[in-house]
Amino acid sequence: MLIVPAVMPGQPENWANLSTPAKTCAEATRQETGNLSYTILSDITNSNVYVTFEEWETPEAEAAHMQTSHLKAFIGEIRSYLAGPPAMRRYNAQKLG
């Protein structure tokens, strides 16, 4: 399993505009082959930071996600709302129990 958190710092004056494109992207991503979960969270200590938390069956499934039209559209829409580039990390994980 691959776990991918991505931290997105936003510009306060534009951050409210993220919700519609984020919801659209999340709904489409959850339908992708190999997606186990895709959640967008708000940082409770900084309302201008959002985090996507993704779980994928394989690295190949996540790589295919990176090429989808809905993700490219989402990135294009939110680019002007970000205060900096998203910080993404990828972790190989094993389910315990």
Side-chain angles (χ1 to χ4, degrees):
M1 175 180 5
L2 184 69
I3 296 175
V4 183
V7 178
M8 298 180 287
Q11 298 173 357
E13 64 275 11
N14 293 321
W15 206 231
N17 297 323
L18 175 74
S19 62
T20 298
K23 183 177 179 181
T24 300
C25 183
E27 289 172 351
T29 299
R30 291 178 186 136
Q31 301 304 311
E32 290 179 45
T33 300
N35 179 259
L36 301 172
S37 73
Y38 187 89
T39 306
I40 300 176
L41 308 161
S42 178
D43 184 329
I44 62 170
T45 61
N46 184 344
S47 61
N48 296 315
V49 173
Y50 279 81
V51 177
T52 61
F53 184 84
E54 309 170 32
E55 294 177 299
W56 297 92
E57 288 179 357
T58 64
E60 294 79 15
E62 192 260 347
H65 165 68
M66 299 302 286
Q67 301 305 313
T68 61
S69 60
H70 57 267
L71 180 64
K72 290 179 181 181
F74 175 62
I75 292 169
E77 286 185 67
I78 69 165
R79 190 165 302 223
S80 64
Y81 307 147
L82 297 178
M88 293 181 67
R89 295 187 178 175
R90 290 174 175 84
Y91 301 97
N92 286 314
Q94 181 179 1
K95 187 175 181 179
L96 301 176

Coordinates of all heavy atoms in Angstrom, one line a residue:
M1 N 0.8 -1.2 0.0 CA 0.0 0.0 0.0 C 0.9 1.2 0.0 O 1.9 1.2 0.6 CB -0.9 0.0 1.2 CG -1.7 1.3 1.3 SD -2.9 1.5 2.8 CE -2.6 0.1 3.8
L2 N 0.4 2.3 -0.7 CA 1.2 3.5 -0.7 C 0.3 4.6 -0.1 O -0.9 4.7 -0.4 CB 1.4 3.9 -2.2 CG 2.2 5.2 -2.4 CD1 3.7 5.0 -2.0 CD2 2.2 5.6 -3.9
I3 N 0.9 5.4 0.8 CA 0.2 6.5 1.5 C 0.8 7.8 1.1 O 2.1 7.9 1.1 CB 0.3 6.3 3.0 CG1 -0.5 5.0 3.5 CG2 -0.3 7.5 3.7 CD1 -0.4 4.7 4.9
V4 N 0.0 8.7 0.7 CA 0.5 10.0 0.1 C -0.2 11.2 0.8 O -1.3 11.5 0.5 CB 0.3 10.1 -1.4 CG1 0.9 11.4 -1.9 CG2 0.9 8.9 -2.1
P5 N 0.5 11.8 1.8 CA -0.1 13.1 2.3 C 0.5 14.2 1.5 O 1.7 14.2 1.1 CB 0.4 13.1 3.7 CG 1.7 12.3 3.7 CD 1.6 11.3 2.6
A6 N -0.3 15.2 1.2 CA 0.2 16.4 0.5 C -0.3 17.6 1.3 O -1.6 17.8 1.5 CB -0.3 16.5 -0.9
V7 N 0.6 18.5 1.7 CA 0.2 19.7 2.5 C 0.2 20.9 1.5 O 1.1 21.1 0.8 CB 1.2 20.0 3.6 CG1 0.9 21.2 4.3 CG2 1.3 18.8 4.5
M8 N -1.0 21.6 1.5 CA -1.2 22.7 0.6 C -1.4 24.0 1.3 O -2.5 24.2 2.0 CB -2.4 22.4 -0.3 CG -2.2 21.2 -1.2 SD -3.7 20.9 -2.2 CE -4.9 20.3 -1.0
P9 N -0.4 24.9 1.3 CA -0.6 26.2 2.0 C -1.4 27.1 1.1 O -1.1 27.3 -0.1 CB 0.8 26.7 2.2 CG 1.6 26.1 1.1 CD 0.9 24.7 0.8
G10 N -2.4 27.7 1.6 CA -3.3 28.6 0.8 C -3.1 30.1 1.1 O -2.6 30.4 2.2
Q11 N -3.6 30.9 0.2 CA -3.7 32.3 0.4 C -5.0 32.6 1.1 O -6.0 32.2 0.5 CB -3.6 33.1 -0.9 CG -2.3 32.8 -1.7 CD -2.3 33.4 -3.1 OE1 -3.3 34.0 -3.5 NE2 -1.2 33.4 -3.8
P12 N -5.0 33.2 2.2 CA -6.2 33.4 3.0 C -7.4 34.0 2.2 O -8.5 33.6 2.3 CB -5.8 34.3 4.2 CG -4.4 34.1 4.3 CD -3.8 33.8 2.9
E13 N -7.1 35.0 1.4 CA -8.2 35.7 0.7 C -8.8 34.9 -0.4 O -9.9 35.2 -0.8 CB -7.6 37.0 0.1 CG -6.6 36.8 -1.0 CD -5.1 36.7 -0.5 OE1 -4.9 36.5 0.7 OE2 -4.2 36.8 -1.3
N14 N -8.2 33.8 -0.8 CA -8.7 33.0 -1.9 C -9.1 31.5 -1.5 O -9.6 30.8 -2.3 CB -7.7 32.9 -3.1 CG -7.6 34.2 -3.8 OD1 -8.5 35.0 -3.9 ND2 -6.3 34.5 -4.1
W15 N -8.8 31.2 -0.3 CA -8.8 29.8 0.1 C -10.2 29.2 0.1 O -10.4 28.0 -0.2 CB -8.2 29.6 1.5 CG -7.6 28.2 1.7 CD1 -7.9 27.4 2.7 CD2 -6.7 27.5 0.8 NE1 -7.2 26.2 2.6 CE2 -6.5 26.3 1.5 CE3 -6.1 27.8 -0.4 CZ2 -5.7 25.3 0.9 CZ3 -5.3 26.8 -0.9 CH2 -5.1 25.6 -0.3
A16 N -11.2 30.0 0.3 CA -12.6 29.5 0.3 C -13.0 29.0 -1.1 O -13.9 28.1 -1.2 CB -13.6 30.6 0.7
N17 N -12.3 29.4 -2.1 CA -12.6 29.0 -3.5 C -12.1 27.5 -3.8 O -12.4 27.0 -4.8 CB -11.9 29.9 -4.5 CG -12.4 31.3 -4.4 OD1 -13.5 31.5 -4.2 ND2 -11.5 32.3 -4.6
L18 N -11.4 26.9 -2.8 CA -10.9 25.6 -3.0 C -12.0 24.5 -2.9 O -11.9 23.4 -3.5 CB -9.8 25.3 -2.0 CG -9.3 23.8 -2.0 CD1 -8.4 23.6 -3.2 CD2 -8.5 23.5 -0.7
S19 N -13.0 24.7 -2.1 CA -13.9 23.6 -1.8 C -14.6 23.0 -3.0 O -14.7 21.7 -3.0 CB -15.0 24.1 -0.8 OG -15.8 25.1 -1.3
T20 N -15.1 23.7 -4.0 CA -15.8 23.1 -5.1 C -14.8 22.2 -6.0 O -15.1 21.1 -6.2 CB -16.5 24.1 -5.9 OG1 -17.5 24.7 -5.1 CG2 -17.2 23.5 -7.2
P21 N -13.7 22.8 -6.4 CA -12.7 21.9 -7.2 C -12.2 20.8 -6.4 O -12.0 19.7 -6.9 CB -11.6 22.9 -7.6 CG -11.8 24.1 -6.9 CD -13.2 24.2 -6.4
A22 N -12.0 20.9 -5.1 CA -11.5 19.8 -4.2 C -12.5 18.7 -4.1 O -12.2 17.5 -4.3 CB -11.2 20.3 -2.8
K23 N -13.8 19.1 -4.0 CA -14.8 18.0 -3.9 C -14.9 17.3 -5.2 O -15.1 16.1 -5.2 CB -16.2 18.7 -3.5 CG -17.3 17.7 -3.4 CD -18.6 18.4 -2.9 CE -19.7 17.4 -2.8 NZ -20.9 18.0 -2.4
T24 N -14.9 18.0 -6.3 CA -15.0 17.4 -7.6 C -13.8 16.4 -7.8 O -14.0 15.2 -8.3 CB -14.9 18.4 -8.7 OG1 -16.1 19.3 -8.6 CG2 -15.0 17.8 -10.1
C25 N -12.6 16.8 -7.5 CA -11.4 15.9 -7.6 C -11.5 14.7 -6.7 O -11.3 13.6 -7.1 CB -10.2 16.7 -7.4 SG -8.7 15.8 -7.6
A26 N -11.9 15.0 -5.5 CA -12.0 13.9 -4.5 C -13.0 12.8 -5.0 O -12.8 11.6 -4.9 CB -12.4 14.4 -3.1
E27 N -14.2 13.2 -5.4 CA -15.2 12.3 -5.9 C -14.7 11.5 -7.0 O -14.9 10.2 -7.1 CB -16.5 13.0 -6.2 CG -17.2 13.6 -5.0 CD -18.4 14.5 -5.3 OE1 -18.6 14.9 -6.5 OE2 -19.1 14.9 -4.4
A28 N -14.1 12.1 -8.0 CA -13.5 11.3 -9.2 C -12.4 10.4 -8.7 O -12.3 9.3 -9.2 CB -13.1 12.3 -10.2
T29 N -11.5 10.9 -7.9 CA -10.4 10.1 -7.4 C -10.8 8.8 -6.7 O -10.3 7.7 -6.9 CB -9.5 10.9 -6.5 OG1 -9.0 12.0 -7.3 CG2 -8.3 10.1 -6.1
R30 N -11.9 8.9 -5.9 CA -12.4 7.8 -5.1 C -12.9 6.7 -6.1 O -13.1 5.5 -5.6 CB -13.4 8.2 -4.2 CG -12.9 9.0 -3.0 CD -13.9 9.5 -2.1 NE -13.4 10.4 -1.1 CZ -13.9 11.6 -0.7 NH1 -15.1 11.9 -1.2 NH2 -13.3 12.3 0.2
Q31 N -13.2 7.0 -7.3 CA -13.7 6.0 -8.3 C -12.6 5.3 -9.1 O -12.8 4.4 -9.8 CB -14.7 6.7 -9.3 CG -15.9 7.3 -8.6 CD -16.7 6.4 -7.7 OE1 -17.0 5.3 -8.2 NE2 -16.9 6.8 -6.5
E32 N -11.3 5.8 -8.9 CA -10.2 5.3 -9.6 C -9.8 3.9 -9.2 O -9.9 3.5 -8.0 CB -9.0 6.2 -9.5 CG -9.1 7.5 -10.2 CD -7.9 8.3 -10.0 OE1 -6.8 7.8 -10.1 OE2 -8.0 9.5 -9.7
T33 N -9.4 3.1 -10.1 CA -8.9 1.7 -9.8 C -7.7 1.9 -9.0 O -6.8 2.7 -9.3 CB -8.6 1.0 -11.1 OG1 -9.7 0.9 -11.9 CG2 -8.0 -0.4 -10.8
G34 N -7.6 1.1 -7.9 CA -6.5 1.2 -7.0 C -6.5 2.2 -5.9 O -5.7 2.2 -5.0
N35 N -7.6 3.1 -5.9 CA -7.7 4.0 -4.8 C -8.4 3.4 -3.6 O -9.5 2.8 -3.8 CB -8.4 5.3 -5.2 CG -8.6 6.3 -4.1 OD1 -9.6 6.3 -3.5 ND2 -7.5 7.0 -3.8
L36 N -7.8 3.5 -2.4 CA -8.3 2.9 -1.2 C -9.0 4.0 -0.4 O -10.1 3.8 0.2 CB -7.3 2.2 -0.4 CG -6.6 1.1 -1.0 CD1 -5.4 0.6 -0.2 CD2 -7.5 0.0 -1.3
S37 N -8.5 5.2 -0.5 CA -9.1 6.4 0.2 C -8.5 7.7 -0.3 O -7.3 7.7 -0.8 CB -9.0 6.3 1.7 OG -7.7 6.6 2.1
Y38 N -9.3 8.7 -0.3 CA -8.8 10.1 -0.7 C -9.6 11.1 0.1 O -10.8 11.2 -0.1 CB -9.0 10.3 -2.2 CG -8.4 11.5 -2.8 CD1 -7.1 11.5 -3.2 CD2 -9.1 12.7 -2.8 CE1 -6.6 12.7 -3.8 CE2 -8.6 13.9 -3.3 CZ -7.3 13.9 -3.8 OH -6.7 15.0 -4.3
T39 N -8.9 11.7 1.0 CA -9.6 12.6 1.9 C -8.9 14.0 1.9 O -7.6 14.0 1.9 CB -9.5 12.1 3.4 OG1 -10.1 10.8 3.4 CG2 -10.3 12.9 4.4
I40 N -9.6 15.1 2.0 CA -9.1 16.4 2.1 C -9.4 16.9 3.4 O -10.6 17.0 3.8 CB -9.5 17.3 0.9 CG1 -9.2 16.7 -0.4 CG2 -9.0 18.7 1.1 CD1 -9.7 17.4 -1.6
L41 N -8.4 17.3 4.2 CA -8.5 17.7 5.6 C -8.1 19.2 5.7 O -7.2 19.6 5.0 CB -7.7 16.9 6.5 CG -7.9 15.3 6.3 CD1 -6.7 14.6 6.9 CD2 -9.2 14.9 6.9
S42 N -8.7 19.9 6.7 CA -8.2 21.2 7.1 C -7.4 21.1 8.3 O -7.7 20.4 9.3 CB -9.5 22.1 7.3 OG -9.1 23.4 7.7
D43 N -6.3 21.9 8.3 CA -5.4 21.9 9.5 C -6.2 22.7 10.6 O -6.5 23.9 10.4 CB -4.1 22.6 9.2 CG -3.1 22.6 10.3 OD1 -3.5 22.7 11.5 OD2 -1.9 22.6 10.0
I44 N -6.4 22.1 11.8 CA -7.2 22.8 12.8 C -6.4 23.9 13.5 O -6.9 24.8 14.1 CB -7.7 21.8 13.9 CG1 -6.6 21.1 14.6 CG2 -8.7 20.9 13.3 CD1 -7.0 20.4 15.8
T45 N -5.0 24.0 13.3 CA -4.2 25.0 13.9 C -3.9 26.1 12.9 O -3.4 27.2 13.3 CB -2.9 24.5 14.4 OG1 -2.2 23.9 13.3 CG2 -3.1 23.4 15.5
N46 N -4.2 25.9 11.6 CA -4.0 26.9 10.6 C -5.0 26.7 9.5 O -4.9 25.8 8.6 CB -2.6 26.8 10.0 CG -2.3 27.9 9.0 OD1 -3.2 28.6 8.5 ND2 -1.0 28.1 8.7
S47 N -6.1 27.6 9.5 CA -7.2 27.4 8.5 C -6.8 27.6 7.1 O -7.6 27.4 6.2 CB -8.4 28.3 8.9 OG -7.9 29.7 8.9
N48 N -5.6 28.1 6.8 CA -5.1 28.3 5.5 C -4.3 27.1 4.9 O -3.6 27.3 3.9 CB -4.3 29.6 5.4 CG -5.2 30.8 5.7 OD1 -6.3 30.9 5.2 ND2 -4.7 31.7 6.6
V49 N -4.3 26.0 5.6 CA -3.6 24.8 5.2 C -4.6 23.7 5.0 O -5.4 23.4 5.9 CB -2.5 24.5 6.2 CG1 -1.8 23.1 5.8 CG2 -1.4 25.6 6.2
Y50 N -4.5 23.0 3.9 CA -5.3 21.8 3.6 C -4.3 20.7 3.4 O -3.2 20.9 2.9 CB -6.2 22.0 2.4 CG -7.5 22.7 2.8 CD1 -7.5 24.1 2.8 CD2 -8.6 22.0 3.1 CE1 -8.7 24.8 3.2 CE2 -9.8 22.7 3.4 CZ -9.8 24.1 3.4 OH -11.0 24.7 3.8
V51 N -4.7 19.5 3.7 CA -3.9 18.3 3.5 C -4.8 17.2 2.8 O -5.9 17.0 3.2 CB -3.4 17.7 4.9 CG1 -2.6 16.4 4.6 CG2 -2.6 18.7 5.6
T52 N -4.2 16.7 1.7 CA -4.9 15.5 1.1 C -4.2 14.3 1.7 O -3.0 14.3 1.9 CB -4.8 15.5 -0.4 OG1 -3.4 15.4 -0.8 CG2 -5.4 16.6 -1.1
F53 N -5.0 13.3 2.1 CA -4.5 12.0 2.6 C -5.0 11.0 1.7 O -6.2 10.8 1.6 CB -4.9 11.8 4.0 CG -4.4 10.6 4.6 CD1 -3.1 10.6 5.2 CD2 -5.1 9.4 4.6 CE1 -2.6 9.4 5.7 CE2 -4.6 8.2 5.2 CZ -3.3 8.3 5.7
E54 N -4.1 10.3 1.0 CA -4.4 9.3 0.0 C -3.9 8.0 0.3 O -2.7 7.9 0.8 CB -3.8 9.7 -1.4 CG -4.2 11.2 -1.8 CD -3.4 11.6 -3.0 OE1 -3.1 10.8 -3.9 OE2 -3.1 12.8 -3.1
E55 N -4.6 6.9 0.0 CA -4.1 5.5 0.2 C -4.4 4.8 -1.2 O -5.5 4.9 -1.7 CB -4.9 4.8 1.3 CG -4.7 5.4 2.6 CD -5.5 4.7 3.7 OE1 -6.7 4.7 3.6 OE2 -4.9 4.1 4.6
W56 N -3.3 4.2 -1.7 CA -3.4 3.5 -3.0 C -2.9 2.1 -2.8 O -2.0 1.8 -2.0 CB -2.4 4.3 -4.0 CG -2.9 5.7 -4.2 CD1 -2.5 6.8 -3.6 CD2 -3.9 6.1 -5.2 NE1 -3.2 7.9 -4.1 CE2 -4.0 7.5 -5.1 CE3 -4.6 5.4 -6.1 CZ2 -4.9 8.2 -5.8 CZ3 -5.5 6.1 -6.9 CH2 -5.6 7.5 -6.8
E57 N -3.5 1.2 -3.6 CA -3.1 -0.2 -3.6 C -1.7 -0.4 -4.0 O -0.9 -1.2 -3.4 CB -4.0 -1.1 -4.5 CG -5.4 -1.2 -3.9 CD -6.3 -2.1 -4.8 OE1 -5.9 -2.5 -5.9 OE2 -7.4 -2.3 -4.4
T58 N -1.2 0.4 -5.0 CA 0.1 0.2 -5.6 C 0.7 1.6 -6.0 O -0.1 2.5 -6.2 CB 0.1 -0.7 -6.8 OG1 -0.6 0.0 -7.8 CG2 -0.4 -2.1 -6.5
P59 N 2.0 1.7 -6.1 CA 2.6 2.9 -6.6 C 2.1 3.2 -8.1 O 1.9 4.4 -8.5 CB 4.1 2.7 -6.6 CG 4.2 1.7 -5.5 CD 3.0 0.8 -5.6
E60 N 1.8 2.2 -8.8 CA 1.4 2.3 -10.2 C 0.0 3.0 -10.3 O -0.3 3.8 -11.1 CB 1.4 1.0 -10.9 CG 2.7 0.4 -11.1 CD 3.3 -0.3 -9.9 OE1 2.6 -0.6 -8.9 OE2 4.6 -0.6 -9.9
A61 N -0.9 2.6 -9.3 CA -2.2 3.2 -9.3 C -2.1 4.7 -9.0 O -2.8 5.5 -9.6 CB -3.1 2.5 -8.2
E62 N -1.2 5.1 -8.0 CA -1.0 6.5 -7.7 C -0.4 7.2 -8.9 O -0.8 8.3 -9.2 CB -0.2 6.6 -6.5 CG -0.1 8.0 -5.9 CD 1.1 8.8 -6.3 OE1 2.1 8.2 -6.8 OE2 1.1 10.1 -6.1
A63 N 0.5 6.6 -9.6 CA 1.1 7.2 -10.8 C 0.1 7.4 -11.9 O 0.1 8.5 -12.5 CB 2.3 6.3 -11.3
A64 N -0.8 6.5 -12.0 CA -1.9 6.7 -13.0 C -2.8 7.8 -12.6 O -3.3 8.6 -13.5 CB -2.7 5.4 -13.2
H65 N -3.1 8.0 -11.3 CA -3.9 9.1 -10.8 C -3.2 10.4 -11.2 O -3.9 11.4 -11.5 CB -4.0 9.0 -9.3 CG -4.4 10.2 -8.6 ND1 -5.7 10.7 -8.8 CD2 -3.8 11.0 -7.8 CE1 -5.8 11.8 -8.0 NE2 -4.7 12.0 -7.4
M66 N -1.9 10.5 -11.1 CA -1.2 11.8 -11.4 C -1.4 12.2 -12.9 O -1.2 13.3 -13.2 CB 0.3 11.6 -11.1 CG 0.6 11.3 -9.6 SD -0.1 12.5 -8.5 CE 1.0 13.9 -8.8
Q67 N -1.9 11.3 -13.7 CA -2.1 11.6 -15.1 C -3.6 11.8 -15.5 O -3.9 12.1 -16.7 CB -1.5 10.4 -16.0 CG -0.1 10.2 -15.8 CD 0.8 11.4 -16.0 OE1 0.6 12.1 -17.0 NE2 1.7 11.7 -15.1
T68 N -4.5 11.8 -14.5 CA -5.9 11.9 -14.8 C -6.3 13.3 -15.1 O -5.7 14.3 -14.6 CB -6.8 11.4 -13.7 OG1 -6.5 12.2 -12.5 CG2 -6.5 9.9 -13.4
S69 N -7.3 13.5 -15.9 CA -7.8 14.8 -16.3 C -8.3 15.6 -15.1 O -8.2 16.8 -15.0 CB -8.8 14.7 -17.4 OG -9.9 14.0 -17.0
H70 N -9.0 14.8 -14.2 CA -9.6 15.5 -13.0 C -8.5 16.1 -12.1 O -8.7 17.1 -11.5 CB -10.6 14.7 -12.3 CG -10.1 13.4 -11.8 ND1 -10.3 12.2 -12.5 CD2 -9.5 13.0 -10.7 CE1 -9.7 11.2 -11.9 NE2 -9.3 11.7 -10.7
L71 N -7.4 15.4 -11.9 CA -6.4 15.9 -11.1 C -5.7 17.1 -11.8 O -5.4 18.1 -11.1 CB -5.3 14.8 -10.8 CG -4.2 15.3 -9.9 CD1 -4.7 15.8 -8.5 CD2 -3.1 14.3 -9.7
K72 N -5.4 17.0 -13.0 CA -4.8 18.1 -13.8 C -5.7 19.3 -13.7 O -5.2 20.4 -13.6 CB -4.5 17.7 -15.2 CG -3.3 16.7 -15.3 CD -3.1 16.2 -16.7 CE -1.9 15.2 -16.7 NZ -1.6 14.8 -18.1
A73 N -7.0 19.1 -13.8 CA -8.0 20.2 -13.7 C -7.9 20.9 -12.3 O -7.9 22.1 -12.2 CB -9.4 19.8 -14.1
F74 N -7.9 20.0 -11.3 CA -7.8 20.5 -9.9 C -6.6 21.3 -9.7 O -6.7 22.4 -9.2 CB -7.9 19.3 -9.0 CG -7.7 19.6 -7.5 CD1 -8.6 20.4 -6.9 CD2 -6.7 19.1 -6.8 CE1 -8.5 20.7 -5.5 CE2 -6.5 19.4 -5.5 CZ -7.4 20.2 -4.8
I75 N -5.5 20.8 -10.1 CA -4.2 21.5 -9.9 C -4.2 22.9 -10.7 O -3.8 23.9 -10.1 CB -3.0 20.7 -10.4 CG1 -2.8 19.5 -9.5 CG2 -1.7 21.5 -10.5 CD1 -1.9 18.4 -10.0
G76 N -4.8 22.9 -11.9 CA -4.9 24.1 -12.6 C -5.8 25.1 -12.0 O -5.5 26.3 -11.9
E77 N -6.9 24.6 -11.4 CA -7.8 25.6 -10.7 C -7.3 26.1 -9.4 O -7.5 27.3 -9.1 CB -9.1 24.8 -10.4 CG -10.0 24.6 -11.6 CD -11.3 24.0 -11.2 OE1 -12.1 24.7 -10.6 OE2 -11.5 22.8 -11.6
I78 N -6.6 25.3 -8.6 CA -6.1 25.8 -7.3 C -4.8 26.5 -7.3 O -4.4 27.1 -6.3 CB -6.1 24.7 -6.3 CG1 -5.0 23.7 -6.6 CG2 -7.5 24.0 -6.2 CD1 -4.7 22.8 -5.4
R79 N -4.1 26.4 -8.4 CA -2.7 27.0 -8.5 C -2.7 28.5 -8.0 O -1.8 28.8 -7.2 CB -2.2 26.9 -9.9 CG -0.7 27.2 -10.0 CD -0.2 26.8 -11.3 NE -0.5 25.4 -11.4 CZ 0.4 24.5 -11.9 NH1 1.5 24.9 -12.3 NH2 0.1 23.2 -11.9
S80 N -3.7 29.3 -8.4 CA -3.7 30.7 -8.0 C -4.1 30.9 -6.5 O -3.9 31.9 -6.0 CB -4.6 31.5 -8.9 OG -5.9 31.0 -8.8
Y81 N -4.6 29.8 -5.9 CA -5.0 29.9 -4.5 C -3.9 29.6 -3.5 O -4.0 29.8 -2.3 CB -6.2 29.0 -4.2 CG -7.4 29.2 -5.1 CD1 -8.2 28.1 -5.4 CD2 -7.7 30.5 -5.7 CE1 -9.3 28.3 -6.3 CE2 -8.8 30.6 -6.5 CZ -9.6 29.5 -6.8 OH -10.7 29.7 -7.7
L82 N -2.9 28.9 -4.0 CA -1.8 28.4 -3.2 C -0.8 29.5 -2.8 O -0.5 30.4 -3.6 CB -1.1 27.3 -3.8 CG -1.9 26.0 -4.1 CD1 -1.1 25.0 -4.8 CD2 -2.5 25.5 -2.8
A83 N -0.3 29.4 -1.6 CA 0.8 30.4 -1.1 C 2.1 29.8 -1.4 O 3.1 30.5 -1.3 CB 0.6 30.6 0.3
G84 N 2.2 28.6 -1.9 CA 3.5 27.9 -2.2 C 3.1 26.5 -2.8 O 2.0 26.1 -2.8
P85 N 4.2 25.8 -3.2 CA 3.9 24.5 -3.8 C 3.5 23.5 -2.7 O 3.9 23.6 -1.6 CB 5.3 24.1 -4.4 CG 6.3 24.9 -3.6 CD 5.6 26.2 -3.2
P86 N 2.6 22.5 -3.1 CA 2.2 21.5 -2.2 C 3.5 20.7 -1.8 O 4.4 20.4 -2.6 CB 1.3 20.6 -2.9 CG 0.8 21.5 -4.0 CD 1.9 22.4 -4.4
A87 N 3.5 20.2 -0.5 CA 4.6 19.4 -0.1 C 4.1 18.0 0.0 O 3.2 17.6 0.8 CB 5.1 19.8 1.3
M88 N 4.5 17.1 -0.9 CA 4.0 15.7 -1.0 C 5.1 14.8 -0.5 O 6.3 15.0 -0.8 CB 3.7 15.4 -2.5 CG 2.5 16.1 -3.0 SD 2.1 15.6 -4.7 CE 1.6 13.9 -4.4
R89 N 4.6 13.7 0.1 CA 5.5 12.6 0.5 C 4.8 11.3 0.2 O 3.6 11.3 0.2 CB 5.8 12.7 2.0 CG 6.6 13.9 2.4 CD 7.0 13.9 3.8 NE 7.8 15.0 4.1 CZ 8.2 15.3 5.3 NH1 8.0 14.6 6.3 NH2 8.9 16.4 5.5
R90 N 5.6 10.3 -0.1 CA 5.1 9.0 -0.4 C 5.7 8.0 0.5 O 6.9 7.9 0.7 CB 5.4 8.6 -1.9 CG 4.6 9.5 -2.8 CD 5.0 9.2 -4.3 NE 4.2 9.9 -5.2 CZ 4.4 11.2 -5.6 NH1 5.4 11.9 -5.0 NH2 3.6 11.8 -6.5
Y91 N 4.8 7.2 1.1 CA 5.2 6.1 2.1 C 4.7 4.8 1.7 O 3.5 4.6 1.5 CB 4.7 6.4 3.5 CG 5.2 7.8 4.1 CD1 4.3 8.9 4.0 CD2 6.4 7.9 4.7 CE1 4.7 10.1 4.5 CE2 6.8 9.1 5.2 CZ 6.0 10.2 5.1 OH 6.3 11.5 5.6
N92 N 5.6 3.8 1.6 CA 5.1 2.4 1.5 C 4.7 1.9 2.8 O 5.4 2.1 3.8 CB 6.3 1.5 0.9 CG 6.6 1.8 -0.5 OD1 5.6 1.9 -1.3 ND2 7.8 1.9 -0.9
A93 N 3.5 1.3 2.9 CA 3.0 0.9 4.2 C 2.5 -0.5 4.1 O 2.1 -1.0 3.0 CB 1.9 1.8 4.6
Q94 N 2.4 -1.2 5.2 CA 1.8 -2.5 5.3 C 0.7 -2.5 6.3 O 0.9 -2.0 7.4 CB 2.9 -3.5 5.7 CG 2.4 -4.9 5.8 CD 3.5 -5.9 6.2 OE1 4.6 -5.5 6.4 NE2 3.2 -7.1 6.3
K95 N -0.5 -3.0 6.0 CA -1.6 -3.0 6.9 C -1.3 -4.1 8.0 O -0.9 -5.2 7.7 CB -2.9 -3.3 6.2 CG -4.1 -3.3 7.1 CD -5.4 -3.5 6.3 CE -6.6 -3.3 7.1 NZ -7.8 -3.5 6.4
L96 N -1.4 -3.7 9.2 CA -1.2 -4.6 10.3 C -2.5 -5.1 10.9 O -3.5 -4.4 11.0 CB -0.4 -3.9 11.5 CG 0.9 -3.3 11.1 CD1 1.5 -2.6 12.3 CD2 1.8 -4.4 10.6
G97 N -2.6 -6.4 11.2 CA -3.8 -6.9 11.7 C -4.9 -7.3 10.8 O -5.0 -7.2 9.7

